[in-house]
Structure formats: C-alpha cells, structure tokens
Amino acid sequence: MFVIDYKCGLPIFEQIYRSVITLGAAGAFEDSGQLPSVRAVAKELGVNPNTVQKAYSMLERDGLIHSLPGKGSFLSKPQAAMDKRRSNALDMAANAMREAISCGITREELIELLSGLTDPEKEGNS
C-alpha cells in the first residue's frame, strides 16, 4: 500500500505521512477509515516501527487521524486528508511562483502558464 523512495532524500516518516494523506484523500482505506497497524506498515516497508509511529503521531497531531486504544488508528474525516493535500499543493505552488519570480519570470508569463495548465484548448497548443 505504501511506497518508500530511499533515494529521494525525504525522511521515511515524512513519506509515510504524505502517503496516508494521499491514500486517505483517494479513499484507499476501508469504509471505516482504519489505517493499517504500525507493525503491519513497518513490516511491509521493512522499517523500524518507531518510524511509522512518528508518522502516525504527526498525523494525529495535525488532526488527520485519531487512535482508539486497542482498536487502531482511523482517519478523522475523509475530507481532512483532501484539505491537507490541497493545502500542501497550494504551499508548493506558492513556493514555485516565488522561485520563478526570483528568476525573473514575469507575472504575465506565470498567468499564461497557469492559463495553459487550466484551459484544455490551450493545453494542446503549448
């Protein structure tokens, strides 16, 4: 279920954190929203259970999951994962735009690029 890229430079716990958000937004967990146990994920990925627990703790801290003793961890609200994913995407877009502006790309060029990405008729003409 989870995929880890050991070469990307992103810590494993962060990759698990992001995977839960992505999979939760896609509805990949059971109807109950139950996540696999820490031990199951650790075994599947071949990582230390503490690494998985750190990711789950961060998800709980951010209100994306909640844990019930003896029952497991569950998505708090399916929409919460999508909202977090959307927030992350907006942050990345803002950072990319700041980088583009610092490289001398004009506002008009950014608007044209964005228009090309969102307008299906322009997409084929790029």
Side-chain angles (χ1 to χ4, degrees), residues 30-115:
E30 300 173 12
D31 291 336
S32 65
Q34 185 169 12
L35 278 65
S37 71
V38 168
R39 285 190 179 129
V41 174
K43 185 176 180 180
E44 175 188 337
L45 299 175
V47 300
N48 189 308
N50 291 332
T51 301
V52 179
Q53 184 58 52
K54 184 172 183 175
Y56 277 29
S57 294
M58 289 172 51
L59 288 159
E60 193 160 6
R61 176 201 66 202
D62 292 345
L64 298 170
I65 68 171
H66 63 278
S67 298
L68 300 174
K71 301 284 186 191
S73 298
F74 300 82
L75 288 177
S76 292
K77 300 176 205 156
Q79 187 60 39
M82 183 57 84
D83 292 344
K84 182 67 174 177
R85 190 168 182 210
R86 184 177 187 278
S87 174
N88 288 345
L90 287 171
D91 288 345
M92 288 188 301
N95 289 336
M97 283 192 242
R98 280 192 279 282
E99 177 68 18
I101 291 166
S102 73
C103 292
I105 296 174
T106 66
R107 181 177 194 266
E108 291 73 25
E109 289 173 304
L110 288 171
I111 291 170
E112 185 178 329
L113 174 66
L114 185 58
S115 295

